[in-house]
Amino acid sequence: MHLNIGVDNLHCAGCVRRLETALQKSDAREVSVDLAGRRVDLEWPSAQPVPELVEHLDSAGFPVHRAEAVLDIEGMHCASCVGRVEQALQRLPGVLSATVNLASAEARVECVEGAVSSADLRQAVEQAGYAAHLPESGPDSEKEDRRAAETRSLKRRFGLALALTVPVFILEMGSHFIPALHHWIHATLGTFNLHLLLFVLTSVVLFGPGRMFFRIGLPNLVRGHPDMNSLVALGTGSAWAYSVVATFAPGVMPEGTANVYYEPAAVIVTLILLGRLLEARAKSRTGTAIERLLGLQARTARIERGDQVVDVAVDDVRRGDRVRIRPGETVPVDGNVVDGESRIDESMLTGEPDPVRRGAGDKVVGGTVNQNGRLVIEATDLGSDAVLAQIVRMVQKAQGAKLPIQALVDRVTAWFVPMVMGVALLTAVIWLVFGPQPALSFALVNAVAVLIIACPCAMGLATPTSIMVGTGRGAENGILFRGGDALQQLRSVRVVALDKTGTITHGRPEVTDLVALGDLSEDELLRLAASAEQDSEHPLARSITDAAAQRGIEPAAIGNFDSEPGKGISAEVEGRRVRIGTRNWLTAAEVDCSAADEQADELSARARTPVLVAVDGRLAGILGIADPIKDGSARAIRALHEQGLEVAMISGDRRRTAEAIAAELGIDTVIAEVLPEGKVEAVQSLRRRHGRVAFVGDGINDAPALAEAEVGIAIGTGTDVAIESADVVLMAGDLNKVPTAIALSRVTLRNIRQNLFWAFAYNTALIPVAAGVLYPAFGLLLSPMLAAVAMACSSLFVVGNALRLKRLPLVGA
């Protein structure tokens, strides 16, 4: 196959040679590298999977440009449909992976950028027997319209089928239970006319409202990919065809076998249509989280145009526009406050009920609600860059993900429907050979029962419905899962490692103690320290400059500023060399720090961070800096302990300071004096001692540790959505969201296991019953009509059980 692939890290002729050399070691042929366009043109063996080529290029240092496409799929009804669509998409050259979600009727396709067009994807799905649409950008109005139309169509089909099936049911079953009715019908209509009437009514049911089963199921059967529709079409079609022969040509059948089974065929179709209708309504409720998020978007905005204020559609707002927001209005777009002050209800983002005060310079997010003040904001992030749009994309991606547990379901469903057809055929043969008379009738009834009772739907819905409801509930609580793996991995963590600054504490340190140890006064010591720190972005530096500002001290100009992360800074202040940092760093710079040991120990014992100041190579003083602990931190750590988890704290503070904080909060393990680059090693150490690790940090300087842990949890601020290194993003700075996220993971996985157990146990137990395994011992047979009821109830149970996640408590799960 011919491929034209975009790659990164292609900058010069040397890069071209390295890329060509790397491809020579693969199965690629006719390689041509375009340096200007940063693309490579090649021929790749059709029998070789494209992901193998992509992996080869990635490992060679030339990452391939990837693209993701989302398709709305129509016509899927069971796990077999899911597998077929995935296989059709994965066979396309250039497709790296395809994941199909039965509950949301979506396919997510990752492919080599430019290698596959949307038309190619749609054509592959259509050739597999399904319809595909590209979703509209913005709210899912077209998709929701299609779902609503499908529900209305099912409602009409069921109504018509019910109206036609009730007479069939009364004429057949009524005759069995009411002898007088039986005699009246046969005396009035006669046997042939009765069968003729049942033939007409049942034929209309099967080939009118039930036509969808034959239209989809029979072509899939011919293609060699039978699905649930094929089972229904075979079962009801067999009963109908048998009855037609018994009605119009009874002489060709063995004596005593010319019975009609119109009633089971009609009732089965009607019951399955009812099940599909109820299932469609229940499935629509699993996606309410997305609908609620989309419903938060304002439709219009009031923007300043010269001296006037005009109402425009939100899509017409441009970056830099000044937007006015009145009390009670929804913030229409993301922006920075330039005038006014108010309280903003950000519960839609963070799950926190308390409004947050926002004033000049603060960021506000579209979809939040302005409560009591007038604001003027300058629009910043719009469209797909807006926080709300990012949240919706993240939730949609998580809801469409496949958990590792789904791999078992995929393997089973690949052969499930053909296996059921084989069991049905075997059932018919056994009843024909060993069954009592009329053997042909027994063979038909039991084979149809096997075909109808088998429910691949339940297996296909077991995992995605729970994921959709679970991740949706997480979004409502300000917990965003970046993918399905995190949802499964989080339940199995054994230790939660917490970064101290900004996670356990507010991340806004304050100078609490100031001790001058030399000839300088406290104010002069603070002035020199604040001057040296004024260009530093470190939180401790800001606490020093803030302390100087509170005393009215103006910093002096500096020169030769130098910073060593995790250790300290140095600068020239009015001709004097000022060093500020840790004791070890100053000692390495040949500063005698012994005079500060007693004060440093005393500060550490009170959970203060000692910061030493040296001027011209001599110790000048010591600052005690404390970062206040968040109100909810102690409660969150207690909740983690109640969940049976070990809690560790990773801190750059001195050990005594870190241990004082740990003792106050009840933290089990302390890893102190850790430099930023040492957090990865700390995570690895915890894994060796305890097992799987979840690391919780602020997502700013914790990226390596977040990536190293089995699950990285980033605590945001209400606007930090795109923290790429995190598996889970908590929209609020509240540590209590961590035990909530773990509880949500546990109840969701428990719910999935319940669904899978039901789906597999149902099919394992009832297929043999439908085949007649109880008949020799108890004389019991399962009616095909009861099989249809059981099959419909199986899917409804799975969806209904998933919807329970909306109400289950998330405390101590």
Side-chain angles (χ1 to χ4, degrees):
M1 73 182 78
H2 178 262
L3 293 174
N4 186 271
I5 302 173
V7 295
D8 287 330
N9 300 335
L10 199 59
H11 306 295
C12 62
C15 299
V16 172
R17 284 194 299 274
R18 283 198 302 114
L19 176 56
E20 289 174 340
T21 302
L23 287 172
Q24 285 171 3
K25 299 176 183 178
S26 72
D27 294 323
R29 296 292 179 265
E30 299 180 28
V31 176
S32 174
V33 180
D34 177 8
L35 176 60
R38 296 185 179 180
R39 303 190 71 83
V40 56
D41 199 83
L42 54 85
E43 293 292 330
W44 183 253
S46 300
Q48 293 285 95
V50 175
E52 187 177 304
L53 170 63
V54 172
E55 184 179 350
H56 184 78
L57 289 171
D58 287 349
S59 61
F62 298 96
V64 170
H65 294 172
R66 292 168 167 84
E68 186 178 76
V70 179
L71 294 173
D72 293 335
I73 311 295
E74 287 186 52
M76 296 191 303
H77 297 102
C78 65
S80 298
C81 303
V82 170
R84 191 154 44 258
V85 174
E86 286 181 343
Q87 290 172 10
L89 290 169
Q90 288 168 351
R91 280 196 293 265
L92 286 175
V95 170
L96 303 178
S97 66
T99 303
V100 177
N101 187 305
L102 178 61
S104 61
E106 278 186 347
R108 288 186 174 271
V109 184
E110 185 186 29
C111 55
V112 176
E113 187 180 70
V116 185
S117 68
S118 57
D120 295 333
L121 297 175
R122 286 200 304 272
Q123 185 178 6
V125 173
E126 288 164 1
Q127 287 176 349
Y130 304 89
H133 308 273
L134 284 175
E136 286 187 333
S137 59
D140 295 348
S141 56
E142 184 180 338
K143 183 176 179 180
E144 293 305 318
D145 288 345
R146 283 199 301 271
R147 284 184 174 175
E150 181 184 358
T151 302
R152 288 194 300 270
S153 174
L154 282 170
K155 190 175 181 180
R156 287 193 302 269
R157 289 171 182 271
F158 168 69
L160 177 58
L162 181 65
L164 295 169
T165 300
V166 167
V168 174
F169 186 81
I170 292 174
L171 289 170
E172 277 287 279
M173 293 301 291
S175 297
H176 289 301
F177 290 105
I178 306 174
L181 179 62
H182 171 78
H183 295 307
W184 179 82
I185 290 174
H186 281 270
T188 306
L189 293 176
T191 301
F192 179 76
N193 288 335
L194 173 62
H195 289 175
L196 187 61
L197 177 60
L198 294 175
F199 162 74
V200 172
L201 293 173
T202 303
S203 298
V204 176
V205 171
L206 263 63
F207 305 113
R211 182 171 58 91
M212 57 187 293
F213 301 117
F214 295 88
R215 180 176 53 83
I216 299 172
L218 293 182
N220 285 337
L221 184 62
V222 171
R223 294 189 190 101
H225 301 295
D227 63 355
M228 179 197 159
N229 296 292
S230 305
L231 297 180
V232 175
L234 277 177
T236 57
S238 299
W240 177 85
Y242 184 98
S243 302
V244 168
V245 174
T247 300
F248 296 102
V252 302
M253 305 181 73
E255 185 178 351
T257 63
N259 304 310
V260 294
Y261 296 97
Y262 291 119
E263 176 211 6
V267 171
I268 286 168
V269 167
T270 303
L271 288 173
I272 293 176
L273 286 172
L274 173 62
R276 290 252 176 115
L277 175 61
L278 296 175
E279 182 184 316
R281 288 178 172 174
K283 281 163 61 178
S284 67
R285 293 171 56 199
T286 64
T288 53
I290 293 289
E291 295 172 15
R292 191 176 293 114
L293 287 170
L294 293 171
L296 295 169
Q297 295 175 323
R299 298 290 178 260
T300 60
R302 300 172 65 247
I303 64 172
E304 297 179 357
R305 288 280 191 259
D307 296 332
Q308 294 182 321
V309 178
V310 296
D311 288 342
V312 301
V314 168
D315 291 342
D316 294 332
V317 178
R318 297 290 176 262
R319 188 184 301 272
D321 282 348
R322 289 169 63 95
V323 182
R324 292 191 181 184
I325 309 167
R326 292 174 291 203
E329 288 186 335
T330 297
V331 177
V333 294
D334 294 5
N336 295 319
V337 178
V338 294
D339 187 28
E341 187 175 279
S342 181
R343 287 189 173 276
I344 303 293
D345 178 5
E346 297 183 345
S347 58
M348 50 75 67
L349 284 178
T350 65
E352 297 297 318
D354 296 331
V356 181
R357 182 173 295 279
R358 293 286 183 248
D362 292 332
K363 184 177 178 65
V364 293
V365 174
T368 56
V369 179
N370 179 30
Q371 290 208 323
N372 55 9
R374 171 189 165 278
L375 292 175
V376 179
I377 67 171
E378 183 178 297
T380 53
D381 299 319
L382 304 170
S384 61
D385 295 328
V387 168
L388 183 59
Q390 293 181 57
I391 291 174
V392 169
R393 283 201 303 275
M394 193 181 298
V395 174
Q396 287 176 329
K397 187 171 183 179
Q399 290 185 341
K402 277 199 174 183
L403 270 63
I405 197 173
Q406 182 72 16
L408 172 64
V409 180
D410 291 342
R411 287 196 297 271
V412 171
T413 55
W415 52 262
F416 180 78
V417 172
M419 181 272 293
V420 170
M421 294 173 63
V423 171
L425 180 61
L426 181 63
T427 299
V429 171
I430 290 174
W431 278 96
L432 282 172
V433 175
F434 301 105
Q437 294 301 321
L440 184 59
S441 296
F442 277 112
L444 173 70
V445 169
N446 290 300
V448 169
V450 169
L451 291 171
I452 298 303
I453 203 165
C455 189
C457 297
M459 290 189 289
L461 291 169
T463 302
T465 50
S466 297
I467 293 174
M468 288 185 70
V469 179
T471 54
R473 186 168 181 192
E476 292 168 359
N477 284 274
I479 302 168
L480 304 178
F481 293 90
R482 298 189 67 87
D485 281 2
L487 191 63
Q488 181 166 340
Q489 295 277 10
L490 195 55
R491 64 170 289 275
S492 60
V493 298
R494 294 291 174 264
V495 57
V496 178
L498 307 172
D499 183 51
K500 190 207 77 170
T501 304
T503 303
I504 296 174
T505 64
H506 284 283
R508 296 189 297 271
E510 302 170 356
V511 176
T512 58
D513 299 83
L514 177 60
V515 181
L517 298 175
D519 299 331
L520 300 177
S521 67
E522 288 186 357
D523 283 355
E524 180 63 12
L525 174 68
L526 185 58
R527 188 180 74 86
L528 291 173
S531 299
E533 293 279 20
Q534 62 184 304
D535 289 338
S536 174
E537 293 297 322
H538 196 281
L540 296 184
R542 288 197 296 273
S543 71
I544 295 172
T545 56
D546 289 346
Q550 290 169 6
R551 295 195 182 195
I553 297 173
E554 292 288 334
I558 65 168
N560 297 327
F561 177 84
D562 186 33
S563 172
E564 293 192 35
K567 297 178 180 179
I569 63 100
S570 65
E572 294 284 344
V573 182
E574 297 175 340
R576 290 184 284 187
R577 191 68 182 173
V578 179
R579 293 179 183 273
I580 307 172
T582 65
R583 185 188 192 284
N584 292 340
W585 185 63
L586 290 180
T587 300
E590 300 182 352
V591 176
D592 183 5
C593 300
S594 57
D597 287 349
E598 185 178 340
Q599 289 91 341
D601 289 343
E602 189 268 335
L603 290 171
S604 296
R606 292 191 290 118
R608 308 294 194 261
T609 299
V611 177
L612 278 60
V613 182
V615 178
D616 291 333
R618 297 180 60 186
L619 186 67
I622 184 171
L623 305 176
I625 299 177
D627 188 358
I629 295 172
K630 293 178 181 178
D631 293 337
S633 293
R635 187 169 68 253
I637 290 164
R638 283 197 302 273
L640 290 170
H641 283 145
E642 289 169 2
Q643 292 176 329
L645 297 170
E646 188 87 2
V647 181
M649 181 178 75
I650 299 175
S651 172
D653 289 338
R654 295 182 73 200
R655 174 159 293 280
R656 290 194 63 181
T657 304
E659 287 178 345
I661 295 172
E664 181 179 346
L665 296 174
I667 292 172
D668 305 301
T669 304
V670 177
I671 303 178
E673 301 178 15
V674 177
L675 298 177
E677 59 270 22
K679 291 180 181 179
V680 169
E681 185 179 340
V683 169
Q684 294 170 342
S685 171
L686 288 170
R687 181 184 295 116
R688 287 192 295 269
R689 290 160 58 187
H690 301 289
R692 293 176 176 272
V693 182
F695 179 83
V696 186
D698 60 15
I700 299 170
N701 59 1
D702 298 325
L706 288 167
E708 173 64 27
E710 274 73 17
V711 181
I713 304 175
I715 288 193
T717 62
T719 57
D720 302 327
V721 182
I723 302 175
E724 294 296 334
S725 51
D727 303 300
V728 183
V729 178
L730 309 181
M731 295 302 295
D734 183 6
L735 197 58
N736 284 283
K737 298 290 185 186
V738 175
T740 302
I742 293 171
L744 180 61
S745 169
R746 290 179 176 181
V747 298
T748 302
L749 266 294
R750 189 181 307 140
N751 190 269
I752 289 172
R753 287 198 301 272
Q754 291 166 353
N755 283 349
L756 289 175
F757 173 80
W758 169 260
F760 282 100
Y762 162 89
N763 284 292
T764 302
L766 291 189
I767 288 177
V769 173
V773 72
L774 299 180
Y775 186 81
F778 304 101
L780 295 178
L781 289 176
L782 184 67
S783 163
M785 291 183 292
L786 291 179
V789 172
M791 189 267 283
C793 289
S794 179
S795 296
L796 291 175
F797 174 88
V798 166
V799 178
N801 189 48
L803 290 171
R804 288 175 54 246
L805 285 172
K806 291 187 173 186
R807 302 184 302 274
L808 288 176
L810 297 180
V811 180

